[in-house]
Amino acid sequence: MNQELDYAEMLEIPVSTVNVVKKKSFFKRRRPAKTEQEQLPEDLKERVVESVNERVGAYVYSEDVSDPPKEEKRKFSFSIKKDKASLVLFTEAVAVGVIALTIFLTNMFMPSSAINTFISTFSTSKNAPKERNYTEFTLAPVVSELSDAEVEMTETGVIYFTAQGSVYPICEGTVSKVYENEGSYTVEISHTSAFTSVITGLTTVYNETGTAAKSNIPVGYSDGKGEVRVSMYNNGTLLDCYTMTNEVPVWKS
């Protein structure tokens, strides 16, 4: 019987029956052999089976409900965090590569694309020289020194005269507009992005749009039949902060 119990515990499984063998004694009178049913009462067999099942069942139940080692949980959690960090780094590296490739391709095949224009604004604004204020320009006479024209200025700051001869820019710049109205031409000159001058009443214009204007080179000509007017603006506001000294405009101090 002990061998059956030990074997059941080794297998860790319940049992439904057990065979009990009683050793024969050599010192007693030999009796007729009994059948298996007579060898052990039935209720004793049942008690033995129940005892074995209770012992094995209690062992199995305690093994099933035991908590797993805490070290394994920490290792598993660390592995998940490590995998997430690796995934984030890999995603960032891919994104940087895609952006770099996009910029390279657009520079090669689409130099005037929106992204190149956007990037160029930073380099242009960083390296572009600072524009001068309009008062930093030296003003020049609008007619030749040999001209007999009487150059005057209105109270609002408009220079005007009526005479035949060449007309000069008030200071250096770039011709930004040229347009004609009933045989009279108007020239707009940009000195900075904010500071401009406008000459009206010209019979002939010498410069085209986009060409440089120099204060010592005529920009147009007047036949003397109409009035020539010269106005200066800063951000669209008419300037009157200068005076005429011997027909030469000078900024007020």
Side-chain angles (χ1 to χ4, degrees):
M1 182 175 66
N2 291 334
Q3 292 180 353
E4 293 290 341
L5 292 176
D6 294 339
Y7 184 71
E9 291 181 356
M10 291 172 60
L11 293 179
E12 299 182 358
I13 58 174
V15 296
S16 59
T17 184
V18 61
N19 293 326
V20 180
V21 178
K22 184 179 179 181
K23 294 183 180 181
K24 298 180 180 181
S25 175
F26 294 97
F27 301 99
K28 294 182 179 182
R29 186 176 59 182
R30 184 180 299 273
R31 295 180 180 178
K34 295 183 179 180
T35 62
E36 293 181 359
Q37 298 296 329
E38 295 176 341
Q39 291 177 4
L40 194 66
E42 188 65 27
D43 57 345
L44 180 58
K45 291 182 180 182
E46 292 179 357
R47 287 198 299 271
V48 172
V49 171
E50 289 177 359
S51 176
V52 172
N53 289 340
E54 287 177 359
R55 293 171 61 186
V56 175
Y59 175 77
V60 174
Y61 177 78
S62 63
E63 287 293 328
D64 290 341
V65 299
S66 60
D67 294 333
K70 294 183 178 180
E71 289 80 2
E72 295 182 0
K73 287 187 177 181
R74 287 197 293 268
K75 292 181 180 179
F76 179 72
S77 176
F78 174 76
S79 177
I80 293 177
K81 292 180 180 179
K82 185 176 180 181
D83 292 340
K84 288 183 178 179
S86 301
L87 180 60
V88 170
L89 292 176
F90 176 76
T91 304
E92 291 178 352
V94 172
V96 171
V98 171
I99 293 174
L101 180 61
T102 302
I103 294 174
F104 174 76
L105 293 177
T106 52
N107 287 333
M108 290 289 295
F109 302 105
M110 294 182 292
S112 60
S113 63
I115 187 171
N116 285 335
T117 304
F118 176 74
I119 294 174
S120 64
T121 55
F122 291 95
S123 59
T124 302
S125 60
K126 183 178 180 180
N127 299 325
K130 183 180 179 180
E131 286 189 333
R132 290 187 291 173
N133 188 275
Y134 65 89
T135 57
E136 297 176 10
F137 287 84
T138 300
L139 301 180
V142 295
V143 296
S144 173
E145 296 179 355
L146 303 176
S147 175
D148 296 332
E150 294 183 3
V151 181
E152 300 181 65
M153 186 185 75
T154 66
E155 293 180 356
T156 57
V158 179
I159 300 173
Y160 66 95
F161 66 92
T162 302
Q164 182 180 1
S166 297
V167 182
Y168 295 79
I170 198 72
C171 58
E172 63 183 10
T174 303
V175 176
S176 55
K177 291 182 182 179
V178 176
Y179 49 92
E180 183 264 342
N181 183 23
E182 297 180 356
S184 178
Y185 289 90
T186 298
V187 176
E188 181 177 325
I189 302 173
S190 296
H191 308 288
T192 66
S193 60
F195 179 39
T196 60
S197 62
V198 179
I199 304 173
T200 63
L202 298 174
T203 305
T204 304
V205 176
Y206 300 145
N207 295 60
E208 297 180 352
T209 302
T211 59
K214 301 294 183 179
S215 60
N216 60 344
I217 299 176
V219 72
Y221 176 82
S222 173
D223 60 6
K225 296 180 180 180
E227 184 179 72
V228 177
R229 298 172 69 89
V230 181
S231 306
M232 291 182 286
Y233 299 88
N234 187 60
N235 287 323
T237 301
L238 181 63
L239 297 176
D240 60 354
C241 52
Y242 59 92
T243 60
M244 298 297 296
T245 303
N246 297 326
E247 300 181 353
V248 178
V250 179
W251 298 114
K252 293 180 180 179
S253 57

